[in-house]
Amino acid sequence: MKNVIKTVCVIIGTIIGAGFASGREIYLFFCKYGIYGFLGIIVSSVFTGIIIYKVFSHLKGRDVKGYNEFLEILNIPNHIKNFINIIINTFLLISFYVMIAGFCAYFKQELNMAPIITGVVICAICYLTFLNKMDGVMKINTIMIPFLIFMICIIGVKSNLLNIQFQGLKVSQNTDWFLASLEYASYNSIILIPILIGLEKSAKGKEKIISASLTIIILILSAILYGILLKQDVNLQNIEIPLIYAVWKLGKGYAYIYGFVIVLAIFTSAVSAGYGFLQNCSTTKKGYKRLSLFICTSAIFVSGIGFSKLVDLLYPVFGVIGLLQVIIILLKRKAKRKAKYWKKGRKLI
């Protein structure tokens, strides 16, 4: 059970990043569809749980070291595999940069701190965490995620979500809400899969429990943020961190507490995205350290880019691209192994 809790915490920490905890993703993918956005949250949560289970199923009994090996297990042709690999690694790196931008956006919005200062701080902490690899990722998430979940639930209860007034029902005549829900789950899968590969041993024999638990937790947390945002009486489109705006109405104390929650969420997701990129792109310990230093240093220089602009522009695009790998994962049967053990570092397929 201890491994199950740790695994769930790491996966939740990967999903609940700056875009989610700030309310930006929920607003972009669900809130504009009114009550149909809630249906979209249900579809997206279930779809995410299915993806997680299918990935673990493909990994079961195999010593997969990275995303490239995972694609080979699926017997994907080399030209498609190389294309997907480039897209995935690009998204992971961009996601890391988006998390850093979100961290800086919070302190700029709330404390008027210069992005360069906060960027240096968060990047230095990420670098130290990367040096501990998956052990560092698991320790950070196991400590922080339970508190993060608890605080989101408290804010939800305090917001009295039973009095929601649904708007935007005109979208009932089309399937935009359904497509948005699939898109949301698909782009989350891009950052999730490299982390799931690293968690395969921890999840061994508990794949169904982990997938079901994650479906429920993601559904509850998404519904809470969705309800809070839907109650707002202003256009949140141009607000960098809409959840902070909403929580301020509950009182200064709640705003500061939830601000801390956002900072935690940004950090856990930044670490997950960065670690996934490093695992995919580095082949030696020395190369891993050098690449860690590079992405953390370069992130400082993009920390001042508008957070909401990055989320609104890039995430839907990668959501569409992510559908390609999701379709392959869901439709591909688990390949039969041709041998009982690995030889000379080559994988079974």
Side-chain angles (χ1 to χ4, degrees), residues 43-147:
V43 171
S44 179
S45 300
V46 172
F47 194 41
T48 299
I50 292 173
I51 293 171
I52 292 170
Y53 177 74
K54 288 293 289 184
V55 171
F56 278 139
S57 296
H58 287 301
L59 293 171
K60 195 172 183 179
R62 302 175 185 276
D63 188 18
V64 177
K65 300 298 184 183
Y67 188 76
N68 192 53
E69 291 185 3
F70 175 72
L71 292 178
E72 291 195 17
I73 281 179
L74 300 178
N75 292 327
I76 298 174
N78 283 334
H79 62 285
I80 297 178
K81 181 187 69 176
N82 292 336
F83 172 74
I84 295 177
N85 222 356
I86 292 172
I87 294 298
I88 298 307
N89 290 328
T90 300
F91 178 79
L92 289 171
L93 182 59
I94 289 175
S95 294
F96 176 69
Y97 287 153
V98 169
M99 295 305 113
I100 300 303
F103 184 91
C104 297
Y106 169 76
F107 285 98
K108 175 67 176 177
Q109 176 176 302
E110 298 302 312
L111 302 176
N112 199 30
M113 292 183 65
I116 188 67
I117 296 176
T118 50
V120 169
V121 172
I122 186 64
C123 288
I125 297 174
C126 285
Y127 177 70
L128 294 175
T129 304
F130 290 150
L131 294 182
N132 291 310
K133 297 190 174 181
M134 181 53 77
D135 287 341
V137 176
M138 292 193 76
K139 287 178 182 178
I140 289 295
N141 282 280
T142 303
I143 295 171
M144 294 184 174
I145 294 305
F147 173 76

Side-chain angles (χ1 to χ4, degrees), residues 24 109 116 133 221 275 281 300:
R24 197 74 216 171
Q109 176 176 302
I116 188 67
K133 297 190 174 181
L221 297 180
Y275 175 77
C281 297
I300 297 173

Side-chain angles (χ1 to χ4, degrees), residues 199-311:
L199 293 172
E200 190 274 330
K201 292 181 180 179
S202 300
K204 190 174 182 179
K206 303 293 184 181
E207 294 86 357
K208 290 183 179 179
I209 296 175
I210 291 171
S211 300
S213 300
L214 286 163
T215 299
I216 295 170
I217 293 172
I218 294 168
L219 173 59
I220 292 173
L221 297 180
S222 299
I224 290 173
L225 299 193
Y226 161 85
I228 293 173
L229 292 175
L230 213 62
K231 290 185 66 176
Q232 306 310 305
D233 55 0
V234 297
N235 185 357
L236 301 174
Q237 179 65 40
N238 297 319
I239 299 177
E240 288 279 289
I241 306 179
L243 249 298
I244 287 294
Y245 172 85
V247 174
W248 264 108
K249 295 183 179 181
L250 301 177
K252 184 184 294 187
Y254 286 100
Y256 286 134
I257 291 174
Y258 194 76
F260 182 62
V261 167
I262 288 180
V263 170
L264 291 183
I266 291 171
F267 178 57
T268 57
S269 194
V271 166
S272 296
Y275 175 77
F277 175 80
L278 293 170
Q279 282 293 97
N280 290 345
C281 297
S282 57
T283 56
T284 65
K285 290 183 178 180
K286 192 172 183 180
Y288 179 92
K289 290 182 179 180
R290 287 181 175 177
L291 193 56
S292 298
L293 183 60
F294 171 77
I295 68 171
C296 290
T297 302
S298 59
I300 297 173
F301 297 98
V302 301
S303 58
I305 299 176
F307 167 65
S308 61
K309 293 179 181 178
L310 287 173
V311 173

